[in-house]
Amino acid sequence: MLQLEEARERILAAIQPLAAETVLLSAAARRFLASDVVAPIDLPPFDNSAVDGYAVRAEDTKSASQDSPMSLRPALRIPAGADLRGSLQPGTCARIFTGSPLPTGADAVVMQEDVTAERDEILFREPGKPWENVRLQGEDVKSGSVVLRMGEPLAPGAVALLGALGLQAVAVCRRPVVEVLGTGDELQETGAPLGPGRIYESNRAALASLLERDGAIAKIFPLVSDNLDETRTALRHALETSDAVITTGGVSVGELDFVKEAFTNLGGDLDFWRVAIKPGKPFVFGKWEGKFLFGLPGNPVSAFVTALMLVRPAILRWQGAVETRLPSHPAVAAEAFTNRGGRRHFMRVRVDNAGRAHLTGAQASHLLVSLAHANGLVDVPPNTVIEQGAPVEVMRFDF
Ligand code: AMP
Ligand code: MG
């Protein structure tokens, strides 16, 4: 049985970032850069004012004080967006606004709250300090410098930076198309009363929403019954129309578990099955003609946890992401976390804003209420009790 880290490495080693495509900036958030971004201009592009006030030559106001204000004639008026910069003559000042270009000659802006404006003269009661309230050209970004690196996620803040640099579009890696399949004779579509012995199918929507959040284009495949031929036909069709197929159920050791057999019948190459984690031990990864199979367990919590741990990294790597682990942070166990089993147990917790991690309920892999209330997982080692008050690391999935 593989350790989780080894399973993840095998998956990531098999996956290459998909081809680059160009997207408008308005659609770029949450995508990953396919190449480094080099700044085409300085930011700010020109020296400009940080406040509404008066641009001065600091030298001209250096002897200003409360008792003996200095008077300067407002010789220029420079609204934001002005294209005529003009130059500030000694002994004068310029009415200026936030974002207005600084006239040549000026080296300070005094806030309007700090002056007395008369009709033809502006009274300064304290000296303007050199470069105060001036935003300098290039202080944020120098033209020609690398501002964002290949594989970095385009958070909204990065989109702001790219927009300010005048980029209309960026190159990002294509999003993977995944087909999400559910297998099992007991599964029923929602929308009709439950038949005897049936349950409503819930994994496909859960996994599709989980993986879409990380950039996958998820397609819901019709339910597949526990039958070898049907499973094989479904797998072939799904593999042909996607980059990867995510199945749930049918990967255990029961005689009605057909996913592995159907996949190898198609000529698929099984890389591994079974990973030493709880929930989620049965897990299949395989390749078929450049496509991939992720065979997840049927139990909803097992499917969810293996999708987070083993499918999500692949979804991110296809998009060119460098970082594929879940975000995590330290917290304190609000109660004891007990793992009496021989496999690492990823327990569902809800961590509050004070950094206290609470179990969300019983931890069996079919229990959905404790999944619905969780915002993170804590990796509890085999045969271990984490005492109340002990430090834990919480992997978050509520981003
Ligand atoms: P299996 O891995 O096929 O043996 O399924 C394990 C458990 O998960 C069984 O109780 C199934 O009924 C349940 N299960 C399998 N697939 C789904 C699904 N798509 N939605 C909800 N429960 C499922
Ligand atoms: Mg089944």
Side-chain angles (χ1 to χ4, degrees):
M1 208 164 7
L2 283 187
Q3 288 303 317
L4 176 66
E5 287 69 20
E6 191 184 347
R8 185 156 42 206
E9 268 161 36
R10 298 244 296 244
I11 291 168
L12 289 175
I15 282 170
Q16 298 302 317
L18 298 168
E21 62 185 11
T22 302
V23 293
L24 288 176
L25 217 49
S26 53
R30 303 193 77 110
R31 305 293 295 270
F32 297 85
L33 286 168
S35 50
D36 293 353
V37 175
V38 175
I41 57 171
D42 284 338
L43 281 184
F46 50 86
D47 294 347
N48 68 91
S49 177
V51 295
D52 293 333
Y54 294 86
V56 297
R57 293 169 175 266
E59 172 76 18
D60 288 352
T61 60
K62 79 169 184 246
S63 56
S65 69
Q66 286 296 333
D67 298 338
S68 91
M70 296 268 323
S71 162
L72 294 176
R73 182 172 62 83
L76 288 171
R77 187 170 185 280
I78 310 170
D83 64 356
L84 190 85
R85 295 183 52 168
S87 117
L88 188 73
Q89 298 307 311
T92 69
C93 64
R95 176 70 171 130
I96 200 164
F97 303 89
T98 306
S100 299
L102 196 74
T104 44
D107 62 358
V109 177
V110 178
M111 291 173 72
Q112 72 181 49
E113 291 86 338
D114 294 343
V115 306
T116 305
E118 312 266 292
R119 181 199 288 262
D120 286 323
E121 59 173 4
I122 310 298
L123 296 178
F124 296 83
R125 293 201 158 74
E126 53 189 71
K129 294 173 212 63
W131 305 111
E132 79 173 332
N133 298 321
V134 176
R135 303 161 168 171
L136 292 174
Q137 176 171 349
E139 72 177 2
D140 194 4
V141 174
K142 298 261 184 298
S143 172
S145 63
V146 174
V147 287
L148 293 168
R149 298 249 170 228
M150 186 168 92
E152 277 193 58
L154 289 169
V159 172
L161 173 59
L162 296 174
L165 289 170
L167 300 174
Q168 286 179 298
V170 277
V172 295
C173 296
R174 181 168 73 74
R175 298 164 60 191
V177 175
V178 298
E179 289 273 12
V180 187
L181 274 68
T183 72
D185 286 343
E186 74 281 27
L187 303 179
Q188 186 177 311
E189 298 277 6
T190 49
L194 269 182
R198 314 290 296 277
I199 60 168
Y200 288 123
E201 195 282 327
S202 58
N203 285 344
R204 291 175 304 166
L207 298 183
S209 59
L210 185 81
L211 300 174
E212 289 245 338
R213 210 178 47 176
D214 286 306
I217 298 169
K219 301 200 287 184
I220 305 274
F221 201 88
L223 288 176
V224 181
S225 57
D226 290 320
N227 166 294
L228 181 60
D229 281 345
E230 196 183 317
T231 308
R232 188 172 45 217
T233 306
L235 280 182
R236 170 184 281 283
H237 186 76
L239 284 162
E240 281 168 349
T241 54
S242 68
D243 296 297
V245 174
I246 322 288
T247 62
T248 67
V251 286
S252 299
V253 293
E255 62 267 38
L256 294 176
D257 289 330
F258 292 116
V259 169
K260 292 196 294 289
E261 188 179 348
F263 185 66
T264 45
N265 277 359
L266 278 179
D269 192 5
L270 280 185
D271 187 334
F272 62 85
W273 78 287
R274 301 211 301 166
V275 180
I277 58 171
K278 183 182 172 179
K281 178 170 71 174
F283 175 92
V284 171
F285 177 61
K287 289 171 229 164
W288 178 85
E289 302 190 359
K291 310 292 184 75
F292 296 88
L293 171 70
F294 296 82
L296 278 45
N299 269 312
V301 182
S302 310
F304 193 91
V305 170
T306 49
L308 278 174
M309 296 293 165
L310 294 168
V311 185
R312 178 178 181 271
I315 299 295
L316 293 173
R317 180 56 50 83
W318 268 309
Q319 296 170 89
V322 173
E323 179 57 80
T324 63
R325 290 165 306 180
L326 286 169
S328 71
H329 62 81
V332 168
E335 61 201 281
F337 298 174
T338 303
N339 180 7
R340 302 208 189 284
R343 281 179 279 146
R344 291 155 75 176
H345 192 166
F346 289 89
M347 294 193 178
R348 283 95 91 185
V349 302
R350 179 150 201 98
V351 60
D352 62 27
N353 287 343
R356 290 167 56 77
H358 307 257
L359 293 175
T360 47
Q363 296 286 323
S365 58
H366 64 293
L367 297 174
L368 289 170
V369 171
S370 60
L371 180 64
H373 291 146
N375 60 7
L377 296 171
V378 170
D379 179 1
V380 184
N383 305 304
T384 298
V385 178
I386 295 177
E387 299 293 351
Q388 179 182 357
V392 290
E393 185 74 8
V394 180
M395 287 172 273
R396 297 293 288 261
F397 58 78
D398 59 334
F399 37 84

